[in-house]
Amino acid sequence: MIMEPWRNRPNNEIVRKVVNELGASLQGHPLAEQARYRMQKWNDPVAKLERKRKRTNAVLTFWLIVISMLGTLAVLGFTDVLGTWAAVTGSIGAAVPAVLAVRSGFKLKELGVARQRLALSPPPPPRPPLPAHISSARVPMEKLHSAEDAMAQLLVQLDSPALTSMPTESVQHARQTAQEAALAIRAVSAQLQAVERARDNAPHLERGSLVEGVRVLRGQLADGVDRYCALVAEAGKALAASTQFQNPGEVLDDATDHMAGLASAMRDVSGYSAY
């Protein structure tokens, strides 16, 4: 019996090909973007730590309830309400849950320390999905995503232990300011998309002001992203300066000041506040 060519291939190769083709067809699709965003939120270090803390707290509560029940049984036994068997059973039975409760308590304390550590240097929040292809915010936000990736790589290099000429405080300040600027730009993007939806659903005779509002917001969004990209270039110059006997810290501090100004300007446009 002659089998079809694809049947002779290993199953994993067929599955890999199907997955790759499916991934390529869904690239940029709103559902794929939403799934990616939800996956990022699920894998966010803060969210994962919070889930562990809740599970550990629930386990600790369970063991404390068991200890309480066995302790009550032991007390009733020692007071001759139920007899010696209850005293022995309660006392011995409470030993194992007590050990497990202590272990859960120590684990909960460790998670609390890790939570405080994350609070001091929180990771960047997961990026929300890109706007729909029909939105005029799509292209600027794709450009912002690329610029954010470049900025993250630059800051990792600038924060390298081998680069002793760059103060750690300057890098941390630049990272936080870059995140604030990106959040402010995203607020303008969300505002633009909301006005676009209002324009598309408004009566034809009432769309004039909304069309103008879309145009203005689109220009502000594009300008904000272009300025963010310029700040990425400044961070690149700071990294290059570290190998040219210049002062990279001064270059990065100047870029951070400009970035703070960008974040402030974009917040004024959108009404967004990070606090």
Side-chain angles (χ1 to χ4, degrees), residues 192-213:
L192 170 58
Q193 294 173 70
V195 176
E196 286 179 331
R197 287 191 292 270
R199 175 203 61 194
D200 295 340
N201 290 278
H204 184 73
L205 296 178
E206 298 180 11
R207 292 183 181 180
S209 60
L210 294 173
V211 170
E212 177 62 16

Side-chain angles (χ1 to χ4, degrees), residues 119-158:
L120 293 176
S121 57
R127 293 189 298 205
L130 287 168
H133 285 284
I134 60 174
S135 173
S136 58
R138 174 78 182 202
V139 174
M141 295 310 293
E142 285 180 336
K143 191 174 181 180
L144 177 64
H145 275 209
S146 178
E148 284 182 300
D149 292 339
M151 178 67 83
Q153 292 177 358
L154 288 168
L155 291 176
V156 168
Q157 293 295 323
L158 288 168

Side-chain angles (χ1 to χ4, degrees), residues 151 154 158 228-240 248 251-252 254-256 258:
M151 178 67 83
L154 288 168
L158 288 168
Y228 186 97
C229 292
L231 298 173
V232 175
E234 292 297 323
K237 293 178 183 178
L239 182 60
V251 178
L252 184 62
D254 289 342
T256 303
H258 290 306

